[in-house]
Amino acid sequence: MSHSTVSPAAQAGQFDFLVKGEHHVANGTLLGFWLYLMSDCLIFAALFATYGVLSQNYAGGPSGADLFDLPLVALNTSFLLFSSITYGFAMLQMQQRKLKGTMIWLAITGVFGAGFLGLELYEFYHLLHQGAGPQRSAFLSAFFTLVGTHGLHVCIGIIWLVTLLFQLRKHGLTTANRRRLFCLSMFWHFLDVVWIGVFTIVYLMGSLS
Amino acid sequence: MSELSHNHDEHHADHHQEEGPHSSFSGYMLGFMASVFLTAIPFWLVMGDVFSSRNTTVLIILAFALVQILVHMVYFLHMNFQSEGGWTMLSLIFTVVLLFITLSGSLWVMYHMNVNMMPSMMSGGS
């Protein structure tokens, strides 16, 4: 009795397995890219920890309160925040399969990103000009490493974005390009999350001391 | 060839789940508005010298940063317990644990190293 009921069920399960085996894993790349972002997060954790330890070691040099220009940082932060929402609009256009709209919002995102990078380079140039370069004190070494690494990520994000614009123009919103847009979206929003830590811990808390 | 693959894409998108999370205009706008609010207030607190106590200001801006990170995670990165069968959330929790150990461990150990240093070796620090 029991034998006769179990046997067909097991056979059905076997067929299910064969049918399911034909499907490919749809979201493999997105999960893999998310895992990359998590490991990138650990790099930033190490840099934040280094900055936290060294942030008071001025070696008789200037402190954050002497150096940081908060209105400039506020402008920079708003650039990155605007670029996050414009990337969101690009994703919404992509969902509606509107190639032109996707490309326009992506380009606007790139302009905001470039503006952010330009202001950061201007700030770095200004600091170096004042003699407050990374070699001045442990505090400034940690500052340049942390903020510079974030800036490097934004720079790579912009290169990726421009590459994607050319690919979109050539191939349109194919499955591969939509996957790339999702990955860049995660990368871009992740950089904005890291920047929240940077402006709070480095700039705002640095200006208080 | 490209026409064929395009048709396949449309077919794929219609009958299966879209590759990534589905996002909405209202979700992005809500996240953006919250972010503007959560960014502007810490800047105002620091630039306007609202509180006389440094510690109060530090605690409040850190709390605002934490909330803003959560807002970005939910509204921009579309984090939830369902995506990828829960693996994104699991890896995020694992990363947050490592992050906490790295940050708190470094700060704790190095603070005590500074405190226990011989006074003569201190180089004019406060």
Side-chain angles (χ1 to χ4, degrees):
Chain A
M1 173 72 191
S2 71
H3 179 77
S4 64
T5 49
V6 166
S7 187
Q11 272 189 344
Q14 216 171 11
F15 283 124
D16 267 359
F17 172 74
L18 287 173
V19 170
K20 278 174 186 165
E22 293 297 314
H23 284 266
H24 65 288
V25 183
N27 294 329
T29 308
L30 295 186
L31 179 59
F33 195 77
W34 178 257
L35 292 179
Y36 153 69
L37 286 182
M38 291 299 98
S39 63
D40 214 15
C41 206
L42 295 180
I43 294 179
F44 280 108
L47 292 177
F48 269 112
T50 312
Y51 179 83
V53 167
L54 298 175
S55 58
Q56 309 291 321
N57 300 9
Y58 303 122
S63 71
D66 304 326
L67 292 173
F68 296 150
D69 183 7
L70 281 187
L72 191 76
V73 179
L75 187 65
N76 230 354
T77 306
S78 68
F79 275 6
L80 212 54
L81 203 53
F82 274 120
S83 82
S84 256
I85 188 71
T86 55
Y87 202 108
F89 291 154
M91 295 302 282
L92 292 174
Q93 292 289 312
M94 187 199 80
Q95 277 177 359
Q96 295 165 11
R97 298 291 187 275
K98 287 178 181 161
L99 177 63
K100 201 176 175 191
T102 310
M103 288 179 69
I104 289 171
W105 283 114
L106 211 56
I108 293 170
T109 308
V111 169
F112 275 122
F116 170 85
L117 211 57
L119 276 182
E120 193 164 281
L121 286 175
Y122 166 76
E123 187 200 13
F124 280 5
Y125 171 77
H126 195 63
L127 288 176
L128 289 171
H129 200 66
Q130 286 177 295
Q135 71 276 25
R136 180 62 190 84
S137 64
F139 153 66
L140 282 165
S141 302
F143 166 79
F144 274 96
T145 313
L146 174 57
V147 181
T149 305
H150 180 268
L152 196 64
H153 276 76
V154 175
C155 184
I156 289 167
I158 291 170
I159 293 171
W160 186 359
L161 193 147
V162 172
T163 313
L164 211 45
L165 274 177
F166 278 102
Q167 284 192 319
L168 280 173
R169 201 178 65 179
K170 195 169 178 194
H171 301 294
L173 288 167
T174 58
T175 310
N177 273 347
R178 290 206 304 276
R179 190 180 62 233
R180 288 163 190 152
L181 277 166
F182 268 118
C183 285
L184 181 59
S185 148
M186 286 197 280
F187 187 71
W188 200 262
H189 293 312
F190 168 75
L191 289 183
D192 206 7
V193 170
V194 174
W195 183 253
I196 297 169
V198 172
F199 82 71
T200 304
I201 292 171
V202 175
Y203 288 105
L204 292 181
M205 280 168 63
S207 299
L208 282 171
S209 57
Chain B
M1 174 58 203
S2 77
E3 195 63 36
L4 199 72
S5 67
H6 185 72
N7 279 336
H8 177 73
D9 288 345
E10 293 299 322
H11 176 83
H12 187 82
D14 286 343
H15 291 272
H16 296 276
Q17 184 197 350
E18 176 73 322
E19 297 94 335
H22 193 84
S23 39
S24 67
F25 178 77
S26 58
Y28 276 120
M29 280 319 279
L30 196 64
F32 178 69
M33 290 298 175
S35 296
V36 168
F37 180 74
L38 291 164
T39 304
I41 288 180
F43 270 96
W44 170 67
L45 286 178
V46 173
M47 288 165 86
D49 280 325
V50 177
F51 296 109
S52 53
S53 156
R54 179 179 188 270
N55 285 344
T56 314
T57 316
V58 166
L59 280 179
I60 291 174
I61 64 174
L62 281 179
F64 269 97
L66 201 65
V67 175
Q68 197 183 347
I69 286 173
L70 288 177
V71 166
H72 277 241
M73 284 282 175
V74 171
Y75 289 103
F76 292 158
L77 282 165
H78 310 294
M79 279 304 295
N80 58 53
F81 287 96
Q82 278 83 43
S83 66
E84 312 279 350
W87 286 106
T88 51
M89 185 54 87
L90 195 68
S91 57
L92 177 67
I93 292 169
F94 177 63
T95 309
V96 168
V97 169
L98 285 184
L99 215 126
F100 178 76
I101 294 171
T102 312
L103 288 175
S104 60
S106 302
L107 292 175
W108 184 43
V109 169
M110 292 311 285
Y111 172 76
H112 282 277
M113 296 267 281
N114 278 336
V115 167
N116 294 329
M117 222 161 139
M118 296 280 286
S120 60
M121 290 168 74
M122 301 285 278
S123 54
S126 57

